[in-house]
Amino acid sequence: MQANLILSIETNAGGVAKSTISYNLAYEIAVRGYSVALLDIDPNESLTLFCGLEKVAAPGTMADVYDSEFKGDWPLSAAWQSKIDKIQVCRGGKQLHQTIRTIAKDLRGAYLLSDRLSDYPLPHDFVIIDCPATLEPLPLTALAASTHVLIPIQPEYKASQGAAAMIEWYYYNCKQLRLRPTPKILGMVPTRWKSDWGAHRSIVEELPIVCQNLGIQYFNPIRESADILNASGRGLPLGIYRPGKGAREDFQPIVNALIQELKEIRGQ
């Protein structure tokens, strides 16, 4: 029986703060008492750096997990251990470029991460997968492995088209991969929102209607914040860098939804 919630952060564009969402969600979930594994499947390894971890040469990254010789020894490292003991990270890195070629050659390429999590399950309450800003092939492995998907989106004039394209990609690949059960779309969230920008305000007024028409949950935007940017530069979540800042509140509706989904998975 599924014991944890596996969330992939999926997007078809760069610069939408995927890694920022991933590690700040992990921290906010952890301070509520749940354990979290962060899997960085991005060759650019932004998540690894934002978690205050140094880059490593192989072995020691997610590339090892995709390797055919993997035997369940997940290369996990603790994040912010002096502040909290419930978050572990499996680093990304340039080795994942070779993984892309491995996926293309493997008959079960799209299911490799799902197979690893099934054969060698992680004990954490939540697994959060930070994907690269492309829709294949690594994000396909995340989709196939996930119970839930969160879609961040830029508050730009093409936001509604981008949202529709992401949903189309999701349904098409769930069908092509014959995913049973189908991962649930947790929702869509605008990121890097600037409330003093008229264009951002008008787009954020439009997106809830788009989400309603698509039948998915809309989360209020995560604002652009100098504190968030500075925190990531120092390898810290906002909750450690500036614990009293209101920007932390932007993540709470998503955290609440995730915890509720976990309780439903566990029949609580």
Side-chain angles (χ1 to χ4, degrees):
M1 181 178 179
Q2 179 73 44
N4 56 9
L5 186 151
I6 304 172
L7 175 73
S8 60
I9 313 293
E10 302 271 9
T11 182
N12 57 355
V16 296
K18 295 178 296 73
S19 300
T20 298
I21 292 173
S22 298
Y23 85 100
N24 278 291
L25 282 180
Y27 179 79
E28 298 300 337
I29 289 169
V31 295
R32 298 205 197 181
Y34 297 92
S35 58
V36 186
L38 282 165
L39 308 185
D40 186 358
I41 64 169
D42 191 340
N44 291 331
E45 57 198 312
S46 295
L47 178 65
T48 297
L49 299 176
F50 291 174
C51 289
L53 301 174
E54 295 181 358
K55 299 179 181 181
V56 296
T61 73
M62 276 299 299
D64 304 331
V65 177
Y66 285 95
D67 191 272
S68 61
E69 298 301 316
F70 183 70
K71 302 300 181 185
D73 48 338
W74 290 85
L76 295 168
S77 301
W80 317 299
Q81 197 167 20
S82 64
K83 299 291 186 180
I84 197 162
D85 63 355
K86 293 185 175 294
I87 303 170
Q88 292 184 302
V89 183
C90 194
R91 293 171 169 90
K94 294 179 175 57
Q95 298 87 349
L96 285 163
H97 288 301
Q98 177 58 44
T99 299
I100 294 172
R101 292 186 281 271
T102 299
I103 292 169
K105 296 175 182 177
D106 195 301
L107 291 175
R108 286 189 60 81
Y111 306 95
L112 283 177
L113 184 54
S114 177
D115 290 345
R116 301 297 185 263
L117 287 165
S118 176
D119 294 343
Y120 310 105
L122 289 165
H124 305 74
D125 299 308
F126 291 91
V127 176
I128 298 177
I129 308 169
D130 184 30
C131 299
T134 177
L135 292 181
E136 52 186 72
L138 286 166
L140 281 177
T141 70
L143 179 67
S146 297
T147 61
H148 294 73
V149 175
L150 179 66
I151 303 172
I153 191 162
Q154 292 174 304
E156 60 181 20
Y157 283 115
K158 294 182 179 180
S160 58
Q161 294 97 316
M166 275 301 307
I167 300 303
E168 182 179 357
W169 175 87
Y170 161 83
Y171 281 115
Y172 174 80
N173 285 290
C174 284
K175 182 178 179 180
Q176 290 296 108
L177 296 173
R178 299 174 65 90
L179 300 182
R180 301 290 186 274
T182 301
K184 179 179 180 179
I185 297 179
L186 184 75
M188 186 173 292
V189 57
T191 60
R192 309 191 73 172
W193 182 58
K194 298 179 180 179
S195 60
D196 57 339
W197 284 23
H200 278 205
R201 290 198 303 271
S202 62
I203 291 162
V204 164
E205 289 173 1
E206 173 191 344
L207 278 174
I209 300 171
V210 172
C211 288
Q212 183 178 4
N213 291 337
L214 292 170
I216 64 174
Q217 183 171 353
Y218 170 81
F219 290 106
N220 288 331
I222 295 173
R223 73 195 80 175
E224 180 82 299
S225 164
D227 286 318
I228 290 178
L229 294 175
N230 291 334
S232 64
R234 298 192 182 191
L236 295 170
L238 185 62
I240 293 177
Y241 179 70
R242 288 286 188 271
K245 284 295 180 177
R248 287 183 68 189
E249 298 172 3
D250 297 347
F251 297 97
Q252 300 311 315
I254 303 175
V255 172
N256 292 338
L258 286 167
I259 291 173
Q260 182 58 41
E261 291 292 326
L262 179 67
K263 289 180 178 178
E264 292 181 12
I265 287 173
R266 293 177 172 175
Q268 298 175 349

